[in-house]
Amino acid sequence: MLTRARLLSARWTLTYCQSVLGRRPAGYLSVACTRSYQQSLSVKTRFRLAISAHRLLASSQAKRFISLSSAPRSKMTTSDKPQQQETADTKTEFTNKKAFERLPKTIVPSHYDLRIQPRLKDATFDGQVEIHVQVNESTNIVTVDCAEIEISEAAFIGHDGKEIPSKDKQILKEMERIRFEFGDKLPTGKGKLRFKYTGVLNDKLRGFYRNIYTVNGEERYGACTQFESCFARQCLPCWDEPAFKATFDVTLVVDKHIVALSNMPVKSEEPLEGDGAWKVVKYDTTPIMSTYLLALVVGEFDFLEDKTEDGIVVRVYTPLGKKEQGQFALDFAVKTLPYYREFFSVAYPLPKCDLIAIQNFAMGAMENWGCITFRETAVLVDPNNSSAAGRQRVALVVGHELAHMWFGNIVTMEWWTELWLNEGFASFVEHISVEKQFPDWKIWYQFVDDFFSSAMKLDALNSSHPIEVPVGHPDEVEEIFDAISYEKGASVIRMLFDFLGEEGFKAGLSNYLQEFEYKNATTKDLWRHFEQATGKPVSTIMSDWTMKKGYPVVAADLEYGKNGKATLKLSQKKFSLLDQGEQNLWSIPMTVQVLPTNERQGVGLVKQMFDKREDNFTLDNVQETQPVLINANLIGFYRVKYSDKMLQLLVPHISSGALAPLDRMGIQNDLMALVLSGDVSVPSLFELWRSAYKNHEKDPIVWQNILTHVGRFSALMAYTDSHDEYQQYSWEILVPLLRQIGWGSKEKQGHLESLLRESLVDRLVKSGHPETVKTAQELFEKYLNGDNGVPTEIRRAIFIAATAYGGKEGYEKLWSLYEKSELQEEKVKMLVALGWTQDTALHQKTLDSALSKQVRSQDVVYVLAGCAHDVDGRERTWQWIQKNWEALKESQHPSLFSRGLQSVFNNFASEEKAQELEEFLKSHKLEQGERAMEQAMETIRIQANWLKRDGDNGRKWLQAQTFSI
Ligand SMILES: [Zn+2]
């Protein structure tokens, strides 16, 4: 049976052959294309056809012709990209590397018998592990990963039962390893290594850490593991690298009243011999897996349970009294697991899957196999008080973690360099699961506004890195859990999905998962399977996008000629905000669309690989008034710089809505970036928002995207003397929108409208729009008086209105609400708002709370972001950080600390400030945040340059306007 995608692909083949030959193909090609068009060719044959056509093109010196096939808009597709053979430059870039070597394979583990007894009050644990190993080469030296634990006994037991105790040990602190020397050489073959040790339940939210929470005001203790990336070694001596897979038998000895969870179901539970206050819980053997996926969770929990259609038991564990908040995630997970089984054609291999909300958690969530841990805001939904954004976040995060059960857990990256295989794929697939269950959320549009845009923002920096980045030492590994591995990874997979079509994509993926089940794989392995499934040259094209840093900007100009012909002139260069003259060339799958200007004209859609520095293409059947759009639906990971004339022809199609929402988003998104890079002056963007979007734009997601940029310019214009005019300008654009969508009600909510209202009211309150602030303050009073009808999505805005414009009284009211609130989602909104006070003493109080018991260490980042929201607050926050540097560093997970710092630094905008920060950071090292700090310094310089270059143009333009509010 031929799917719609294949039919369209066949039609593309004919068009493509015509286009590259400049005429209808003859001979074999002609027959084949005609058959292709008549729906009868296989993917492989179509691929051969395309390649033949492409070779003909490559061998001729003739100009390329692109023939425009006219098709009604409803038939447009994004699933029939041309196949190409261009060779990508596979140059790899290297970062500054610390000395590091992977563990040798002299001895390899196959199974761990692990017994852990946490002593929660003392914040310590006792451990014992027997590691079944294969000794490949006889040696008396064994080195394993190990950090922050004290080993009291180490011995080797040979297959003949002979025990060889260790003679000496050396702690390799820098490498986070321990090296044992044995009295005799260990014989080759099977054996066991036995270690007895003690460790500390730390408070840094990694390794095996203590989770402090309160029940009715009383402090209680639990414990939890976070082993990814390289922290299993803080709980047991082990081969802590993803490729050393093994099975695990876990035993936990815990207080008899407490819940104890691990990856597998409980096998037995009995009182500890000789001490009935403890119980010994043993779990079934895990599948073969990497150490970073092992999990131990102990504490007090409630839970909800359900089963998937395959009989897998799914539970959501919540803090006591919050059981009903687990229902949304439970329903989502129960439907998603079977959906993934079908999508990947590989079953979920464990009998159970727990989703556990942990009160203190550094990341969003962690995909421990069968025992997934989350921070509360990423898994709990309060039916009455969670916002649309909160609900959506939970769906995406749960979808992401469940995707890891396949990507990461069944098949694991060979080394951290290929982290993106885990994270890029899970980030892509989470959207597939959400789209399936909530089609009205238009999650793929939101993907472009969120994932795609943040990836482009980070990857425009010279301090970015390629998706596949060589890393070694654990500190370097931690640094690449960023928008490049996740968001850019997902964006290039989206591009690939479009290029291969759903059928080929799924076939390749399923074959890959089956070949590497319970093993490790590399990016090349995945490309090979896609190539085998589709016959397309995946490796050569994709390596451009995974092995090069950054992405291109395509400059486009159009010359209309005679007889309906037009010449499209394209050139590409690396997009850069601080140009360092880096040159690179990408194979760009281009989509060129000629838009109709009357009902008689169809939409001309052409797909073409653009892989030269500059090239000209001839378009047929184009009238002078017809605009030409590039990168339809923002599938390609590149920016477009239109000539003025091309842009002017597109503008009426933005305001009329004739352009698709993603294309309307793309034009202003690219223009914003071009303003920062110095290619375009800011008044052009201000004019565009006013003429093309204000009063015209209907799509909530396009507005979301605009609002992000309006906010960013607000932060920049605050460093000029025309910030007030800028706010008035923003009100002129945004207030009509608020009048249109209104303040909403709790009962009747469209999901997307609700998301937009949150960002819109937020922006208007933050910019001090009097009418909005007044309404927000009234709503805050209502909320304070127990009126639960206040829409959930505007709660952060009403909290900010209370603190920023409500004086000491408003601040105190919010502070006491914060102390009482039980819902984490609202508490973090309140923390941000508490930083918006204009009273310096209260601002100081908010900052100080970050180091008190009133704020969980995982939430300090919200305090810093809120306190640094404006020019003065940012400076005070920076002073406070310097004063409290050691205490902050001590209390924070390193990744969270550098994120918190970024949220403060990223809005500074002067060279002097960049130098001052750099100087400070020279003597205040951040072991796992160097890359993040480099990115922050570059961002400051980009903004400083923009202010110097274009700030005055913005100021003059604003001061020359009258605003209709
Ligand atoms: Zn992930």
Side-chain angles (χ1 to χ4, degrees):
M1 197 180 79
L2 192 86
T3 64
R4 181 168 171 270
R6 289 182 71 178
L7 166 61
L8 289 162
S9 185
R11 197 185 70 219
W12 172 81
T13 308
L14 179 64
T15 309
Y16 184 69
C17 291
Q18 278 183 315
S19 76
V20 294
L21 294 170
R23 59 183 160 76
R24 195 174 174 79
Y28 162 73
L29 276 176
S30 172
V31 175
C33 282
T34 309
R35 283 183 56 215
S36 169
Y37 195 58
Q38 288 165 351
Q39 317 173 11
S40 57
L41 287 192
S42 70
V43 169
K44 241 185 192 163
T45 314
R46 289 203 311 278
F47 167 67
R48 280 210 310 274
L49 265 174
I51 294 304
S52 307
H54 189 76
R55 281 184 185 147
L56 271 173
L57 166 73
S59 65
S60 82
Q61 294 303 311
K63 236 183 194 174
R64 290 186 188 190
F65 291 92
I66 299 179
S67 168
L68 296 173
S69 60
S70 285
R73 192 179 186 90
S74 61
K75 283 199 180 166
M76 277 168 54
T77 176
T78 54
S79 60
D80 53 346
K81 279 260 172 73
Q83 305 93 338
Q84 297 290 318
Q85 273 201 323
E86 281 78 357
T87 307
D89 167 12
T90 53
K91 191 185 89 181
T92 309
E93 297 178 45
F94 291 87
T95 54
N96 291 333
K97 295 176 77 66
K98 295 183 180 175
F100 177 81
E101 264 181 39
R102 285 169 68 172
L103 285 168
K105 291 189 174 157
T106 326
I107 300 179
V108 294
S110 60
H111 177 76
Y112 293 79
D113 258 321
L114 177 68
R115 179 188 167 106
I116 297 279
Q117 182 169 15
R119 299 178 189 280
L120 299 173
K121 275 195 184 133
D122 302 342
T124 60
F125 63 93
D126 298 336
Q128 185 179 319
V129 65
E130 270 194 0
I131 311 174
H132 298 222
V133 294
Q134 170 73 31
V135 180
N136 292 324
E137 284 172 42
S138 183
T139 173
N140 64 338
I141 301 293
V142 176
T143 305
V144 291
D145 290 312
C146 180
E148 298 178 25
I149 54 181
E150 189 71 40
I151 296 180
S152 55
E153 188 186 318
F156 177 83
I157 302 117
H159 48 82
D160 54 1
K162 190 181 156 206
E163 187 165 325
I164 309 173
S166 82
K167 197 174 78 175
D168 196 13
K169 69 180 178 199
Q170 189 188 357
I171 293 166
L172 310 171
K173 196 162 189 295
E174 182 70 15
M175 298 282 279
E176 302 185 359
R177 285 181 182 159
I178 189 161
R179 183 177 179 273
F180 291 97
E181 192 183 335
F182 289 84
D184 283 331
K185 279 200 161 187
L186 313 185
T188 54
K190 289 192 189 319
K192 284 185 212 169
L193 277 164
R194 190 178 63 226
F195 299 105
K196 280 191 179 170
Y197 56 96
T198 53
V200 172
L201 292 171
N202 70 71
D203 55 4
K204 289 206 173 174
L205 315 183
R206 61 181 185 179
F208 194 23
Y209 68 89
R210 192 159 74 152
N211 177 35
I212 303 177
Y213 56 95
T214 52
V215 176
N216 300 327
E218 185 194 326
E219 195 168 86
R220 306 264 183 95
Y221 307 111
C224 170
T225 53
Q226 167 65 42
F227 286 170
E228 194 180 23
S229 52
C230 309
F231 305 117
R233 65 194 66 183
Q234 295 186 1
C235 182
L236 67 152
C238 59
W239 276 257
D240 198 10
E241 295 182 7
F244 284 110
K245 288 193 170 186
T247 50
F248 294 81
D249 273 333
V250 173
T251 301
L252 279 171
V253 182
V254 293
D255 182 304
K256 67 176 180 184
H257 299 296
I258 222 158
V259 177
L261 303 167
S262 187
N263 305 75
M264 297 299 288
V266 172
K267 186 166 68 180
S268 69
E269 186 175 313
E270 47 199 40
L272 178 66
E273 227 179 276
D275 190 348
W278 296 84
K279 64 181 175 184
V280 180
V281 188
K282 293 185 180 219
Y283 302 86
D284 287 337
T285 309
T286 69
I288 184 162
M289 66 183 205
S290 306
T291 45
Y292 78 90
L293 293 169
L294 186 66
L296 315 171
V297 179
V298 296
E300 296 164 286
F301 297 98
D302 285 339
F303 71 87
L304 290 173
E305 179 183 306
D306 201 351
K307 272 188 183 167
T308 68
E309 60 187 41
D310 308 326
I312 296 155
V313 178
V314 181
R315 283 183 178 179
V316 178
Y317 284 88
T318 73
L320 298 177
K322 292 187 176 178
K323 194 158 77 171
E324 78 287 353
Q325 293 181 21
Q327 191 65 49
F328 179 81
L330 181 67
D331 294 344
F332 188 83
V334 163
K335 286 183 195 149
T336 298
L337 278 171
Y339 176 62
Y340 282 166
R341 187 244 304 132
E342 202 181 302
F343 191 89
F344 299 130
S345 303
V346 173
Y348 176 79
L350 304 190
K352 65 109 172 169
C353 184
D354 295 332
L355 284 68
I356 310 158
I358 306 285
Q359 291 93 337
N360 294 282
F361 200 82
M363 307 300 160
M366 175 62 211
E367 68 266 24
N368 314 301
W369 215 347
C371 191
I372 310 171
T373 43
F374 295 83
R375 64 163 63 195
E376 285 181 59
T377 49
V379 70
L380 300 184
V381 170
D382 177 341
N384 291 317
N385 293 300
S386 285
S387 64
R391 191 171 280 113
Q392 180 174 299
R393 180 177 187 217
V394 168
L396 284 169
V397 178
V398 173
H400 180 100
E401 301 311 321
L402 293 179
H404 273 313
M405 301 299 111
W406 283 261
F407 279 96
N409 300 10
I410 293 181
V411 180
T412 313
M413 73 245 139
E414 206 278 329
W415 180 249
W416 298 106
T417 291
E418 320 215 45
L419 174 68
W420 87 284
L421 279 177
N422 278 16
E423 298 306 345
F425 261 89
S427 302
F428 175 75
V429 172
E430 68 186 76
H431 290 82
I432 292 181
S433 68
V434 171
E435 172 74 13
K436 172 80 181 162
Q437 290 197 40
F438 301 103
D440 60 318
W441 290 6
K442 293 190 182 168
I443 204 69
W444 284 110
Y445 282 16
Q446 294 197 59
F447 174 92
V448 176
D449 168 45
D450 186 355
F451 280 54
F452 182 88
S453 297
S454 7
M456 286 209 141
K457 189 177 168 195
L458 179 55
D459 210 21
L461 303 182
N462 295 319
S463 47
S464 177
H465 61 86
I467 284 180
E468 291 185 77
V469 54
V471 285
H473 191 276
D475 286 354
E476 292 170 7
V477 175
E478 272 296 286
E479 288 187 334
I480 60 166
F481 285 76
D482 63 6
I484 299 302
S485 301
Y486 286 68
E487 280 92 342
K488 185 180 178 185
S491 299
V492 303
I493 292 163
R494 174 171 169 265
M495 193 160 80
L496 180 69
F497 182 88
D498 179 74
F499 179 63
L500 300 179
E502 184 173 344
E503 213 178 317
F505 184 87
K506 280 163 84 168
L509 211 52
S510 166
N511 293 340
Y512 163 83
L513 287 168
Q514 284 171 31
E515 180 182 340
F516 293 100
E517 208 167 14
Y518 304 110
K519 300 190 188 94
N520 297 76
T522 64
T523 306
K524 281 198 181 107
D525 296 321
L526 181 63
W527 293 164
R528 175 166 53 80
H529 276 289
F530 280 136
E531 285 178 352
Q532 283 166 1
T534 64
K536 295 186 181 184
V538 175
S539 181
T540 42
I541 292 173
M542 291 308 289
S543 56
D544 260 12
W545 302 94
T546 61
M547 299 184 80
K548 288 176 182 171
K549 183 177 75 178
Y551 55 86
V553 52
V554 173
D557 195 9
L558 193 67
E559 271 178 20
Y560 295 93
K562 288 178 184 163
N563 305 324
K565 290 195 184 302
T567 306
L568 180 63
K569 298 177 167 181
L570 300 179
S571 64
Q572 61 161 300
K573 64 171 184 175
K574 181 178 181 298
F575 181 72
S576 184
L577 295 170
L578 273 187
D579 193 8
Q580 292 194 334
E582 276 186 64
Q583 291 300 318
N584 247 333
L585 210 53
W586 281 263
S587 302
I588 310 173
M590 300 281 295
T591 312
V592 179
Q593 201 179 23
V594 180
L595 298 159
T597 47
N598 63 50
E599 286 170 2
R600 292 186 307 280
Q601 295 166 332
V603 176
L605 180 68
V606 184
K607 299 198 167 201
Q608 175 72 35
M609 196 63 75
F610 172 45
D611 57 358
K612 294 194 169 71
R613 186 74 54 210
E614 291 177 358
D615 212 347
N616 291 349
F617 300 87
T618 301
L619 306 179
D620 293 330
N621 304 321
V622 189
Q623 305 306 313
E624 287 232 7
T625 49
Q626 280 188 275
V628 171
L629 177 84
I630 292 167
N631 199 15
N633 283 325
L634 301 188
I635 296 291
F637 197 75
Y638 60 95
R639 296 200 184 278
V640 181
K641 181 182 181 239
Y642 291 104
S643 65
D644 286 348
K645 194 176 167 196
M646 286 182 83
L647 186 62
Q648 288 319 315
L649 283 174
L650 282 165
V651 169
H653 292 253
I654 300 172
S655 47
S656 73
L659 271 182
L662 285 184
D663 299 324
R664 303 201 296 270
M665 184 193 295
I667 288 172
Q668 69 89 28
N669 214 6
D670 283 350
L671 205 61
M672 157 81 191
L674 292 165
V675 167
L676 286 177
S677 69
D679 289 281
V680 174
S681 183
V682 74
S684 307
L685 181 65
F686 292 167
E687 292 277 12
L688 185 76
W689 284 339
R690 193 182 234 180
S691 62
Y693 296 89
K694 177 189 144 191
N695 293 331
H696 299 295
E697 184 54 59
K698 300 272 181 282
D699 192 278
I701 304 166
V702 178
W703 270 121
Q704 289 267 34
N705 194 259
I706 294 173
L707 278 159
T708 307
H709 301 323
V710 171
R712 186 155 187 207
F713 273 111
S714 174
L716 287 174
M717 294 309 290
Y719 286 101
T720 71
D721 61 3
S722 52
H723 195 221
D724 289 346
E725 286 90 346
Y726 178 79
Q727 303 300 28
Q728 288 178 37
Y729 161 71
S730 72
W731 299 341
E732 182 194 294
I733 306 285
L734 302 177
V735 171
L737 181 62
L738 181 60
R739 292 196 181 126
Q740 198 187 316
I741 68 168
W743 285 77
S745 69
K746 244 181 108 179
E747 288 71 41
K748 201 167 151 270
Q749 291 291 345
H751 182 80
L752 294 176
E753 188 183 283
S754 186
L755 293 180
L756 172 60
R757 187 174 295 111
E758 177 160 356
S759 310
L760 178 62
V761 176
D762 240 39
R763 174 96 308 271
L764 286 168
V765 167
K766 286 175 177 174
S767 62
H769 178 245
E771 202 184 305
T772 313
V773 168
K774 188 166 165 281
T775 311
Q777 284 177 319
E778 287 163 9
L779 285 167
F780 177 70
E781 288 302 323
K782 276 191 176 174
Y783 178 77
L784 207 59
N785 294 326
D787 183 345
N788 275 331
V790 176
T792 52
E793 70 266 23
I794 57 166
R795 293 198 183 161
R796 182 174 50 218
I798 65 171
F799 299 152
I800 291 175
T803 52
Y805 313 103
K808 194 170 180 196
E809 195 189 337
Y811 181 92
E812 297 296 354
K813 283 176 181 170
L814 188 67
W815 185 259
S816 67
L817 260 185
Y818 171 78
E819 285 180 321
K820 273 184 259 164
S821 176
E822 285 290 331
L823 181 62
Q824 268 300 299
E825 186 186 322
E826 294 223 323
K827 278 179 101 85
V828 298
K829 289 176 183 170
M830 291 172 190
L831 280 180
V832 171
L834 288 164
W836 275 75
T837 174
Q838 291 173 19
D839 180 314
T840 49
L842 295 176
H843 191 263
Q844 186 66 34
K845 179 181 169 183
T846 307
L847 282 170
D848 290 341
S849 73
L851 285 170
S852 74
K853 279 193 170 181
Q854 290 159 310
V855 176
R856 297 177 183 179
S857 78
Q858 63 172 11
D859 297 331
V860 169
V861 58
Y862 298 106
V863 175
L864 297 179
C867 285
H869 72 275
D870 67 2
V871 174
D872 294 341
R874 197 168 301 136
E875 188 53 41
R876 283 199 298 272
T877 306
W878 166 227
Q879 298 301 330
W880 182 86
I881 288 171
Q882 291 174 81
K883 218 169 93 193
N884 295 285
W885 181 265
E886 288 308 323
L888 268 171
K889 199 176 164 191
E890 187 51 36
S891 70
Q892 289 283 290
H893 183 290
S895 305
L896 272 179
F897 187 35
S898 59
R899 260 175 242 168
L901 293 177
Q902 272 184 312
S903 74
V904 178
F905 296 168
N906 275 351
N907 283 322
F908 281 124
S910 74
E911 175 59 32
E912 296 70 35
K913 190 54 75 178
Q915 284 178 14
E916 181 189 329
L917 295 171
E918 259 172 2
E919 204 50 46
F920 179 85
L921 290 167
K922 269 184 203 161
S923 52
H924 296 77
K925 289 272 178 225
L926 280 177
E927 285 76 22
Q928 292 163 16
E930 283 186 25
R931 196 188 285 274
M933 290 304 101
E934 235 180 274
Q935 289 162 354
M937 297 313 116
E938 193 181 344
T939 303
I940 296 172
R941 291 197 162 98
I942 287 162
Q943 291 168 170
N945 282 2
W946 179 80
L947 271 175
K948 227 153 103 189
R949 187 182 59 234
D950 209 18
D952 210 40
N953 296 331
R955 183 187 63 78
K956 282 183 190 151
W957 185 87
L958 287 164
Q959 290 180 353
Q961 308 300 309
T962 45
F963 302 106
S964 53
I965 306 162

